[in-house]
Amino acid sequence: MSTPDNLQRSVLPIPDQPRSGIVLYDAKDPENKYPPIIPVMPPAGAPNVLVVLIDDAGFGSSSAFGGPCATPTAERLASEGLKYNRFHTTALCSPTRQALLTGRNHHSVGMGGITEIATGSPGYNSILPNTCSPLARTLKLNGYGTAQFGKCHEVPVWQTSPAGPFDAWPTGGGGFEYFYGFIGGEAHQWYPSLYEGTTPIEVKKTPEEGYHLMDDMTTKAINWIGQQKALIPDKPFFVYFAPGATHAPHHVPTEWADKYKGKFDQGWDKLREETFARQLKLGVIPSDSKLTPRPPQIPAWDDMPAELKPVLIRQMEVYAGFLEYADHHVGRLVDALEGLNVLEDTLIYYIIGDNGASAEGTLNGTYNEMINFNGAAALETPEFLMERLDKLGGPESYNHYAVGWAHALNTPYQWTKQVASHFGGTRNGTIVHWPKGVEGKGELRTQFHHVIDVAPTILELAGLPQPTFVNGVQQRPIEGVSMAYSFNDAKAAEQHETQYFEMFGNRGIYHKGWTAVTRHKTPWLLQGEKTPAFDDDVWELYDTTKDWSQANNLAKQMPEKLHELQRLWLIEATRFNVLPLDDNIGARMNSDLAGRPVLIKGKSQILFGNMGRLSENSVLNMKNKSHAVTAEINIPKAGAEGVIIAQGGNIGGWSLYIKGGKLKYCYNLLGIQQFYAESADALPPGEHQVRMEFTYAGGGMGKGGTATLYLDGKKVGEGKVAATAAVVFSADDGCDVGVDTGSPVSPDYGARGNEFTGTIKGVQLAIAEDAEAVDHLVDPEHALQVAMARQ
């Protein structure tokens, strides 16, 4: 542990001190003395810090905590350090991450849900208050080198475009000097949309050439740490390593999934029993723990259709391979620290999950989770899934496993991700490794802790105070408590005695061993669920000092104790911006109803050549309505090929392009089927206006229509589109002009070589309220005058 020094570090940046004493005329004067320049450094003894946060992994997933997925790196670190078996998260990704990075409860920092459903309410607006400066900034301003790798899902959606502002990005206001990763909730592991700092970058390898994001980001992290220690070896680092693994899509090289062939044939009910037995044997749960029953909303394995079981089994094999693959690369990072001789003095937090295992894959699982997000889960019949079994985990898939597997991976607890009321949604196995500061090896720690406790722990061990002012703004106190007291005292009384939980109306309160909880919403019913009034929710009561897994509900026997804790939940909810409760996810998806800003206003948008990496929140929403795409292009004498504009990827989207000299439009319906329109003849050289008009059939969301192609105002092709995506194309594959980055929308082009070989002066997107108005969206004689004038 470091020793605090005499620097006044409570005000950041540390104010420069004026020179005192006489100023002499001649620098050669022997009386002339200036102190040497001393860079700001942390107090002596401050450790390096590595925080590893795995995504969507339940308490019963990792072998380190009795799970079926081999995690030898986690086991290694635990054997040399500490396991915490009562560490908790918030039940969802963005909230957990903002809480981790600030040391405050998620509603206190505006992250009551994911950024895509932000509202105007202070606890849910996704805006980090400037009174809650993040940990990385505090460390950087005290002399740490800081870097983040992987997932960043804390940027408000209206700030995710290349136009910024970048205040909420890791290298903007997040306090990190370097960032390599993706902005959003998930990434295509084979075709990710990546940023270095705030600059979009394209990977140079394809999946066929061995590319995978987990391998890539690990190599970047190893190189960054190596460079730091080569150039400034005395300066400690803070690295936040946050893979997209094991969030859906579950993408992993086939050989890693194949390691688990046959290991899940018994199904999820037997898997829970097997995991529970291993947990008891390992001692990560007490010997008197009970295995909680499977909720009736989750089907038994024996009740699943026989023709579906091969798919279900493969889903779990792929997930297990994905977690082991992620752990393998964490091991590469640990090995690199050892090779640099800094492992002994690096504090490592290995947090296995930012919430419980995810039940968002539907009861049957999914080949492409965007199908469910678009309300079309009925399309994924057993026959449909069986046809694609061998593709699960590969570049063409965007897969997620069935709810039953998620429940099994949260053994021994009830429920899953999103369900903040029960430990299945919030309890995550966590490992602390710090040879220089932790005396015990392979020991267990049972004190109750929460993700908000990580930041104050790091500050204490670095000898740094919580800042009172940052950039001139007075700071609110950190709400977590340091875990350092427990590092070398297994019997120390726990210091985090009270903690509220809330997500989508699922609520819970922990206080001195007691928990009162109520489940309000079902996690796999993303929209349309009829939920009760909040006052009608049924609360449960558990004494976790005697009932480890929340198996024995005491609500009827002890109503007064239940009411006491319900009142305490309300008090904590009032303190930390939880109210008003909001379970209307459908309305929160609609920016107009939710009250959050939108980047694009009106019914048209003009884009220019070489614009790209535009998220769906950065582009005019043309779904469920008639629309037109018009481009002003120049075709050289040799002809032109390539993508003019594309949105989405191989899991769904649309593309306007030239192939074989002909104008072509592809609508990719959720990766299931592609629909085309094509011109009869090749386009001649010269300046031209090309246009695709889509006449929407109407009659609800996700319906089909007709795509008509025009060249200089003359119809040149037409094609029918049977159905469309109603809500979303992709979580991370955006819109590009002049190329299709990431996974290609149309099978006509691969991930490389689809750049447009002509010149694009501009592209206009425009929408109509009905099919009759589509002809008036774009004037074929004068469209894009603004774009042309800009050239």
Side-chain angles (χ1 to χ4, degrees), residues 169-184:
W169 289 53
T171 55
F176 291 99
E177 296 169 313
Y178 180 79
F179 170 63
Y180 184 81
F182 59 96
I183 304 295

Side-chain angles (χ1 to χ4, degrees), residues 431-585:
I431 295 162
V432 172
H433 181 275
W434 185 29
K436 193 172 181 179
V438 173
E439 296 170 0
K441 307 297 180 187
E443 295 182 0
L444 190 68
R445 293 293 181 268
T446 61
Q447 292 89 348
F448 182 97
H449 279 290
H450 190 270
V451 68
I452 60 175
D453 298 339
V454 174
T457 306
I458 293 171
L459 290 179
E460 178 180 344
L461 298 179
L464 298 173
Q466 298 179 22
T468 56
F469 282 85
V470 177
N471 292 332
V473 178
Q474 187 169 0
Q475 298 296 293
R476 287 159 48 186
I478 284 179
E479 293 159 2
V481 301
S482 172
M483 300 168 63
Y485 73 93
S486 66
F487 280 11
N488 293 313
D489 187 355
K491 297 181 180 180
E494 66 186 29
Q495 296 184 11
H496 195 136
E497 294 184 327
T498 305
Q499 180 61 48
Y500 82 91
F501 297 89
E502 191 279 335
M503 193 61 60
F504 306 140
N506 301 315
R507 287 157 283 164
I509 184 77
Y510 170 86
H511 181 64
K512 295 184 178 180
W514 289 88
T515 62
V517 302
T518 181
R519 186 189 66 83
H520 177 76
K521 237 186 151 310
T522 307
W524 57 89
L525 299 178
L526 303 181
Q527 295 187 40
E529 181 181 10
K530 187 176 181 180
T531 55
F534 293 117
D535 285 344
D536 294 337
D537 283 329
V538 178
W539 284 74
E540 304 161 18
L541 177 69
Y542 300 99
D543 178 3
T544 64
T545 63
K546 302 175 182 177
D547 175 19
W548 181 268
S549 58
Q550 297 175 316
N552 183 23
N553 181 8
L554 302 174
K556 291 183 179 179
Q557 294 97 307
M558 305 181 69
E560 291 185 2
K561 185 66 175 179
L562 176 61
H563 293 159
E564 173 192 330
L565 291 173
Q566 287 174 309
R567 286 192 296 269
L568 180 58
W569 183 90
L570 190 59
I571 292 169
E572 295 294 284
T574 304
R575 287 180 62 197
F576 297 117
N577 272 350
V578 181
L579 303 178
L581 292 172
D582 190 347
D583 62 354
N584 194 344
I585 299 176

Side-chain angles (χ1 to χ4, degrees), residues 268-396:
W268 45 67
D269 293 315
K270 290 291 185 182
L271 179 61
R272 290 192 81 227
E273 295 174 5
E274 294 167 359
T275 299
F276 183 65
R278 285 192 296 266
Q279 291 172 334
L280 290 172
K281 185 176 180 180
L282 276 175
V284 293
I285 60 175
S287 59
D288 60 354
S289 299
K290 295 181 180 179
L291 179 62
T292 57
R294 173 177 37 79
Q297 296 91 334
I298 302 175
W301 176 256
D302 290 342
D303 292 338
M304 298 302 291
E307 63 270 25
L308 187 61
K309 285 185 176 179
V311 176
L312 297 174
I313 290 167
R314 187 58 176 172
Q315 290 170 2
M316 187 57 210
E317 292 171 357
V318 169
Y319 178 85
F322 194 23
L323 181 53
E324 183 176 351
Y325 184 70
D327 179 83
H328 164 75
H329 287 288
V330 174
R332 289 179 55 212
L333 187 53
V334 173
D335 288 344
L337 296 179
E338 187 171 37
L340 292 168
N341 294 318
V342 297
L343 182 60
E344 288 290 306
D345 196 23
T346 297
L347 169 66
I348 299 177
Y349 266 91
Y350 192 167
I351 305 171
I352 308 175
D354 57 352
N355 40 243
S358 171
E360 295 160 353
T362 78
L363 296 176
N364 291 343
T366 176
Y367 174 72
N368 173 7
E369 67 171 346
M370 294 300 153
I371 295 175
N372 183 41
F373 292 164
N374 283 281
L379 294 174
E380 295 196 281
T381 62
E383 295 77 15
F384 174 93
L385 292 168
M386 276 298 296
E387 290 172 359
R388 293 160 175 79
L389 183 146
D390 292 338
K391 295 182 179 181
L392 289 175
E396 295 178 55

